[in-house]
Amino acid sequence: MEFPRHIPFVDLLGFELLKFDSGEAEIAVTVRDELCNSWMVAHGGLTMTLLDVAMAHAARSPKPGAEPTGQGVVTIEMKTSFMRPGLGRLVARARILHGTASLAFCEGTVTDEQGKLVGHATGTFKYLNGLPAQGRRIQRPDASD
């Protein structure tokens, strides 16, 4: 499945979109040496990014029976807990817990190939049609972090 928007960092990490629908998203990555920490397990930043991107996609996913809105999202808060080292293929599953016109409250988990919990996160995402940056406004209503 193709990501709905091009995110260069996601491409660099090698993320794969598995599900993007009904307030849910599923994204996978295979841990490679360059994505590891000095213990040679998935770097915590990889796990956090996987959770962040999955939750952002859950927030942007098309609602049942509706067309995608095209709104972009940015992360405004995220809390992550790590349960065990990540090895092999990791899969993040995320969903919206509650949404308003301007915010989405989401949660996500990352599991390993054996289905064991690697990490869990909650996050708050803001819907935007443009992003103020360096004194200007970037208009990309379909963007995602």
Side-chain angles (χ1 to χ4, degrees):
M1 170 180 269
E2 294 289 321
F3 280 93
R5 299 293 170 250
H6 176 250
I7 305 170
F9 190 54
V10 166
D11 287 346
L12 179 70
L13 295 173
F15 286 4
E16 304 165 49
L17 182 63
L18 306 176
K19 181 178 184 177
F20 178 65
D21 192 31
S22 303
E24 297 182 353
E26 215 171 276
I27 298 175
V29 66
T30 300
V31 178
R32 310 180 307 273
D33 286 353
E34 61 270 23
L35 302 178
C36 290
N37 60 22
S38 61
W39 296 94
M40 293 312 292
V41 298
H43 190 283
L46 175 68
T47 303
M48 290 181 77
T49 300
L50 187 58
L51 285 160
D52 180 52
V53 173
M55 290 188 294
H57 276 75
R60 297 186 63 243
S61 68
K63 308 301 180 258
E67 292 294 316
T69 66
Q71 278 190 303
V73 297
V74 293
T75 311
I76 61 170
E77 175 274 335
M78 184 172 161
K79 187 226 185 272
T80 306
S81 298
F82 301 97
M83 290 15 166
R84 67 177 35 86
L87 294 166
R89 185 171 169 82
L90 303 178
V91 178
R93 292 173 182 85
R95 66 187 180 109
I96 293 179
L97 297 173
H98 177 73
T100 70
S102 60
L103 298 172
F105 301 89
C106 301
E107 77 170 344
T109 59
V110 171
T111 55
D112 63 16
E113 293 173 331
Q114 288 73 44
K116 292 184 178 176
L117 188 62
V118 171
H120 176 268
T122 56
T124 308
F125 298 82
K126 183 167 181 57
Y127 295 107
L128 295 176
N129 291 319
L131 184 67
Q134 295 183 344
R136 61 188 175 101
R137 185 167 180 82
I138 301 169
Q139 292 298 126
R140 298 238 5 240
D142 57 356
S144 183
D145 64 350

